Amino acid sequence: MKKFSIIFAAFLLFTTFGMAQAALEWEDPALCVEGQWLVIDAAHPMAVKITLPQGTHYGDQAAGRCKTPAPAPLLPNSAVTVRGHGEMMMVMIDGDGASSPVTVSYDGKTYVRNNHGETMRFKFEIDD
């Protein structure tokens, strides 16, 4: 019985660790920006950096003024830099933290790029 308990405990530990790793591997983050969801498919949130112009509304559903709930886990606000003026959003994804291909969607536009390990850059025009 003692052997069974040890084996069972090891199995649970291994299974739990595997699930935690899978959940963290490619979380496909989303961010509400000026009423539209930015969705990044096949990238870990820590690999994503976004630059927005000053005065841009972004964050969760309420902060970013989206009408629908988040379609994926929210990207942390720490991934966002706000500076400058204009109407362009820059999305940068570190290839080491993404699978291939990477899909980025915003406001009806979708870009798909193969990941070769370098930083991928995507630009979107923001309509406020």
Side-chain angles (χ1 to χ4, degrees):
M1 186 68 172
K2 186 175 179 182
K3 275 187 179 180
F4 175 75
S5 296
I6 292 171
I7 292 171
F8 184 70
F11 172 76
L12 284 178
L13 183 63
F14 177 75
T15 304
T16 305
F17 179 74
M19 285 197 222
Q21 286 296 101
L24 294 175
E25 193 170 352
W26 313 119
E27 292 183 2
D28 305 335
L31 183 72
C32 182
V33 179
E34 291 296 347
Q36 300 292 326
W37 286 106
L38 168 69
V39 180
I40 302 165
D41 186 19
H44 190 282
M46 297 301 291
V48 178
K49 301 294 178 209
I50 298 173
T51 303
L52 297 170
Q54 289 181 10
T56 303
H57 297 96
Y58 70 94
D60 62 12
Q61 181 180 353
R65 300 180 175 173
C66 283
K67 294 177 182 161
T68 59
L74 287 176
L75 189 67
N77 284 345
S78 61
V80 180
T81 301
V82 178
R83 64 172 162 220
H85 300 284
E87 298 174 352
M88 296 302 290
M89 169 174 49
M90 174 71 78
V91 179
M92 292 165 285
I93 302 172
D94 181 356
D96 290 339
S99 66
S100 188
V102 172
T103 304
V104 180
S105 303
Y106 177 75
D107 196 19
K109 295 175 188 79
T110 300
Y111 297 102
V112 179
R113 298 222 177 106
N114 287 323
N115 181 2
H116 300 289
E118 68 271 353
T119 299
M120 294 170 274
R121 291 174 173 79
F122 304 84
K123 285 185 180 181
F124 293 93
E125 189 170 336
I126 300 173
D127 296 323
D128 47 355

